Amino acid sequence: MSKSPIHPVSSLDRQSELENSPAQLISLDRVSFGYSHKRLVLQDLDLEIKQGEFLTLLGPSGCGKSTILNLIAGFYKPLLGRVTHGGEDIKGPSARRGVVFQSNALFDWMTVEQNVGFGFRFQAVSKHERKKRVETIIALVGLRGNERKYPYQLSGGMRQRVAVARSMVVQPEILLMDEPFAAVDVQTREGLQEELLKLHEQVSGAILFVTHSIEEAVFLSDRIVILDRNLGGIAHDIKIHLPEPRYTAMNRVSDAFNQYRTDLYLKMKAIE
Amino acid sequence: MQLKMSKSSDKMTAFEGQDLQTQALREKAMLFCVAIAIPSLILILWEMTTRMGWVDELFLPSLSGIVNEFFAMTRKGYAGTPLLSHVLGSLRRVFTAFTVGTLVGLLLGLLMGYYKYVRAAFYVVTELLRPIPPLAFITLFILWFGIGEVSKVLIILYAGALIVMLNTMAGVQSCPKDKILAAQTLGANDLAIFLYVILPAALPSIFTGMRVALSVDFGILVAAELLAGDLGIGYIIQDASTFFNVEGLFVGILMIGFFGVMSDFLLRIIASRVVHWQG
């Protein structure tokens, strides 16, 4: 991984670090996708995601954001072109690529602990190590004391925390998040965003995030890709430079933040 | 000033909250009273109509008469067989048929829910069998399997298995797609997904099916025992009817009701423990 765990670096360092890192993790090469050849959702799309990068996809509804995520997850196969992970074609879902769904997709019949530890059932990790890692991540997402609770005993925000922890604890090389915080209230949402940034700092790995919210995109991302409507492909590819640590509340109200927001808002308007 | 106002309004809401709670409790108590009062009233009316001679005892025996008949049966048995043997005979038939039927239905339902081709293979047959009342087959079963225990148990088994199978299949198919995808992205293979995701997701449906099947099983039991044999609660009902022993008939009917309610209650407790995440 290009990132070392826990490093208070400045934004420029972080961007140049990503810049200098030649390691492409995910690559979409002239990808076309549609449910039939007559109705395409994506056409000739090129996109690359670097190791450790936090990339957000923005764009009008129906522009294919979720489709890209599903292609990388291995849920869909491209009609044309290649989707590769570390140079190899993606043939189906894999534990190397975690997914967090908007619906959280938790297992209602398992406790928080069992949900979070689910991925370890299929990995050669010692019981002791497993327990330690589950405990650590539950503490990291602020759910200590809720280990034995079931999802139906938790609030929407807490459930989404469990879902994030469950995907992150097995340390996927990339975490794919499809509007994960769309269904929770604004305050919970901000808390979740800050925790996600902290987790991203501690657990190495890239994140591909899909959202409708410009603020969310600016606050979280190293890079934002805006997709055009009508198979237009990538309209804009913008790097975000904000001071580290990224998760401070100041980053939501700074001039730089507002500038990015205005700029992105106008760009989105131009597309719609 | 403003602080004071907000404080007093806080108090108000706290007070109202408590009031709502006691109100809810009171309503619960009222509902419970109604649920108890109405059946009690019916029983009193029943006893009165017969005591006053408003209705001929032949059509509606008195409650006390039925109770007396029940105790007489416990002492002397019915038709030369102890009452307990009749009861145990019936319960054994239902229990055997229900257990085996549930297992068969579960297995077929899981296979049909999971494998498209198994579903296709059984589709026409199940769609044809579904609307046919199981009782329509009863004489056929007697013809095929004899008039003894086997045909009785088999007809009950068939009726229950069909219901469990259909509910299990529906449960497997209703498993949310995103939970299966989530398990896949966590490294689960097909077997693990089936065991840890699809099967638990289907459990609520399976239990619903089992409860429906059990109540249907009791119905089929009585019908099967009415038709043939000399043992069981259904036999008591049939035999008592033949001899215009209306009190004995009522004892049989009430016993079926009692065991039906009790077994459903038991199953419901088990279900609420196993599928605790459902409601």
Side-chain angles (χ1 to χ4, degrees), chain B residues 118-148:
Chain B
V118 178
R119 189 153 69 240
F122 280 85
Y123 179 76
V124 175
V125 179
T126 48
E127 285 303 303
L128 282 176
L129 288 179
R130 199 143 68 147
I132 303 173
L135 282 177
F137 295 111
I138 200 159
T139 43
L140 200 61
F141 271 51
I142 290 173
L143 189 69
W144 287 345
F145 306 108
I147 203 155

Side-chain angles (χ1 to χ4, degrees), chain A residues 156-223:
Chain A
M158 287 160 100
R159 268 180 246 156
Q160 210 48 274
R161 286 186 171 91
V162 178
V164 173
R166 180 179 68 175
S167 297
M168 273 214 174
V169 77
V170 291
Q171 300 181 335
E173 288 158 51
I174 183 167
L175 186 60
L176 308 162
M177 308 180 83
D178 194 358
E179 299 192 44
F181 308 147
V184 295
D185 63 90
V186 179
Q187 268 152 349
T188 309
R189 196 174 186 174
E190 290 187 354
L192 285 164
Q193 290 165 356
E194 283 151 32
E195 273 160 30
L196 180 61
L197 283 175
K198 285 180 197 166
L199 277 171
H200 183 51
E201 213 170 65
Q202 305 213 359
V203 184
S204 51
I207 292 180
L208 177 68
F209 199 94
V210 169
T211 181
H212 275 108
S213 160
I214 293 172
E215 285 83 359
E216 187 166 66
V218 175
F219 185 68
L220 293 173
S221 318
D222 295 320
R223 191 177 138 215

Side-chain angles (χ1 to χ4, degrees), chain A residues 76-130:
Chain A
Y76 299 161
K77 287 191 178 60
L79 287 179
L80 293 167
R82 293 178 68 193
V83 184
T84 53
H85 180 170
E88 290 168 36
D89 281 311
I90 292 171
K91 295 211 173 68
S94 149
R96 291 168 66 202
R97 297 178 296 276
V99 181
V100 176
F101 300 83
Q102 188 183 334
S103 61
N104 76 53
L106 291 179
F107 306 127
D108 308 300
W109 42 91
M110 294 184 193
T111 61
V112 168
E113 223 168 27
Q114 291 168 329
N115 264 290
V116 173
F118 185 76
F120 286 129
R121 288 173 193 263
F122 318 108
Q123 289 193 358
V125 179
S126 75
K127 220 172 183 178
H128 176 73
E129 172 75 10
R130 198 190 280 202

